Amino acid sequence: MSSMSTKKREETTGELTIKTLVQEKNGKVIIEFTDGKKVKISEDAYLSMFLYPGKTLTKTGFDSLVKTTDEKIGRDYINSLLSRRLYSPKELQNKLIDVKKMSYVDSSLLIQKMVAEGYIDFSLYAQDRVESLKLKGFSREYIYKDLKNNRLDSAIIDNTLDKIEIDDEAIIRILNDEIRKHSSDSYVKLKDRLKYLLYTKGYDEGQSESLLSKLMMENGYFSSDSRQKDALRKAVLSSYDKIKRLKIEPRKKEQKLYRSLLYKGFSRDEILDVIKEEDLYFD
């Protein structure tokens, strides 16, 4: 058959005829076809098909060649990622799509295949993730949603959460740290702050109230009158020291002091008592 008729048949059927094969040092093979098209394939893809100059590939055969190469690249990339740290299904798929330009379907199928073959065990990621979120004080409900969002199988999630107890120890520790950090907040302001923190950790209103009640039982100082007085005194002295340096009228300084302390949740009478006790005034 003449080269002209071969070229016409290739254009009509979508077939490709191999012109040359060049193997690189890394094992990959560059195929050049008679129409000038070039493609680089993996050694696995090359060995899986009997390729030689002059061989004609159908469109299906060519697509299979490319898919085998893409899968090998994807497998090598996944193994490289997992050698450094654990990944969730969502993270792995995003990496394959963003970095290796694999399609959503092909990346999903590759991950499923490697799980079935035992090369990927997402239960390890689940255990590590749960332990990490537990130490940061997140609720069981938040952790469950996080694992689902990372596309972990429901069976893995349930099995992992059954094995690891999610208790209050971490969140109570975090709440106590927050109390120490905001020692000049009024009880009202501090309680609102703690409620918001619990909200960000995935606790609903009922759970938050229960945890705050437990906190009060374990840390009586949190809601005590002595803490309120200590916090107010600290807030008054801190605000007074900053405001007295301002180059504004004494009356405006006094108003500014009151506003800043009222914002922190202290009452006007409480503020006046401390100002008198400390003998504070602006001139």
Side-chain angles (χ1 to χ4, degrees):
M1 186 182 290
S2 68
S3 59
M4 183 64 74
S5 60
T6 299
K7 184 176 181 181
K8 188 171 183 179
R9 179 174 59 80
E10 289 174 350
E11 290 174 350
T12 304
T13 63
E15 293 178 341
L16 294 167
T17 301
I18 297 173
K19 180 180 179 182
T20 61
L21 292 163
V22 179
Q23 189 161 23
E24 298 180 322
K25 290 181 180 179
N26 60 10
K28 292 181 179 179
V29 177
I30 299 173
I31 303 177
E32 182 178 1
F33 296 95
T34 53
D35 66 352
K37 179 185 291 186
K38 289 184 180 181
V39 64
K40 184 182 291 188
I41 65 172
S42 66
E43 188 174 22
D44 285 1
Y46 172 65
L47 295 174
S48 69
M49 302 179 73
F50 184 54
L51 302 176
Y52 53 87
K55 180 172 182 175
T56 298
L57 297 177
T58 62
K59 185 178 185 306
T60 301
F62 177 76
D63 290 345
S64 176
L65 191 67
V66 172
K67 189 166 186 176
T68 301
T69 295
D70 289 345
E71 182 174 310
K72 177 64 167 61
I73 291 171
R75 280 178 177 272
D76 289 346
Y77 185 57
I78 287 175
N79 288 330
S80 174
L81 291 173
L82 293 177
S83 69
R84 295 193 286 272
R85 71 171 178 85
L86 297 170
Y87 281 80
S88 70
K90 181 180 180 179
E91 290 172 327
L92 279 184
Q93 186 165 34
N94 287 344
K95 284 282 190 181
L96 289 171
I97 292 171
D98 295 341
V99 179
K100 296 303 177 183
K101 308 306 177 187
M102 291 184 73
S103 69
Y104 182 88
V105 172
D106 287 344
S107 57
S108 293
L109 291 173
L110 175 57
I111 291 170
Q112 290 171 21
K113 187 183 291 187
M114 292 184 73
V115 169
E117 294 168 349
Y119 290 109
I120 301 176
D121 183 359
F122 285 124
S123 66
L124 299 176
Y125 170 86
Q127 291 170 25
D128 183 74
R129 185 67 174 166
V130 170
E131 290 288 2
S132 174
L133 293 175
K134 174 185 172 181
L135 287 175
K136 293 175 182 176
F138 287 98
S139 70
R140 184 185 181 88
E141 290 76 14
Y142 181 99
I143 294 173
Y144 181 86
K145 288 177 183 177
D146 179 87
L147 296 177
K148 287 294 286 184
N149 184 54
N150 275 290
R151 300 178 194 155
L152 283 155
D153 185 77
S154 294
I156 290 178
I157 296 174
D158 293 338
N159 188 47
T160 304
L161 290 176
D162 285 343
K163 288 180 181 177
I164 302 175
E165 183 183 357
I166 312 296
D167 53 35
D168 299 335
E169 183 180 345
I171 191 61
I172 292 294
R173 170 179 51 77
I174 290 168
L175 291 173
N176 277 313
D177 288 344
E178 197 73 3
I179 291 171
R180 285 189 289 272
K181 192 188 303 181
H182 300 282
S183 59
S184 64
D185 276 358
S186 68
Y187 172 70
V188 172
K189 184 78 172 179
L190 182 60
K191 188 174 181 181
D192 286 344
R193 191 187 296 279
L194 297 182
K195 280 186 174 181
Y196 180 73
L197 173 63
L198 289 167
Y199 168 76
T200 63
K201 297 289 185 181
Y203 296 93
D204 61 31
E205 190 173 349
Q207 291 171 322
S208 295
E209 289 296 339
S210 177
L211 284 167
L212 290 176
S213 295
K214 182 176 181 179
L215 180 65
M216 283 186 231
M217 291 178 64
E218 295 182 5
N219 183 355
Y221 181 66
F222 160 56
S223 57
S224 67
D225 290 340
S226 60
R227 187 211 165 274
Q228 180 79 346
K229 290 178 181 177
D230 290 343
L232 175 56
R233 181 168 283 100
K234 185 174 181 178
V236 167
L237 294 176
S238 175
S239 296
Y240 175 78
D241 189 53
K242 293 174 184 175
I243 293 171
K244 74 177 181 180
R245 301 173 193 171
L246 299 177
K247 294 181 179 180
I248 56 177
E249 298 174 12
R251 181 176 57 83
K252 290 185 177 180
K253 289 181 180 180
E254 186 176 315
Q255 291 173 347
K256 193 172 185 66
L257 176 63
Y258 282 128
R259 281 198 302 269
S260 69
L261 296 169
L262 288 171
Y263 175 76
K264 284 181 172 288
F266 298 106
S267 70
R268 189 174 185 81
D269 289 341
E270 287 177 318
I271 297 167
L272 285 171
D273 287 343
V274 172
I275 289 175
K276 287 178 182 178
E277 289 174 10
E278 297 294 332
D279 193 24
L280 304 176
Y281 62 90
F282 295 111
D283 52 19

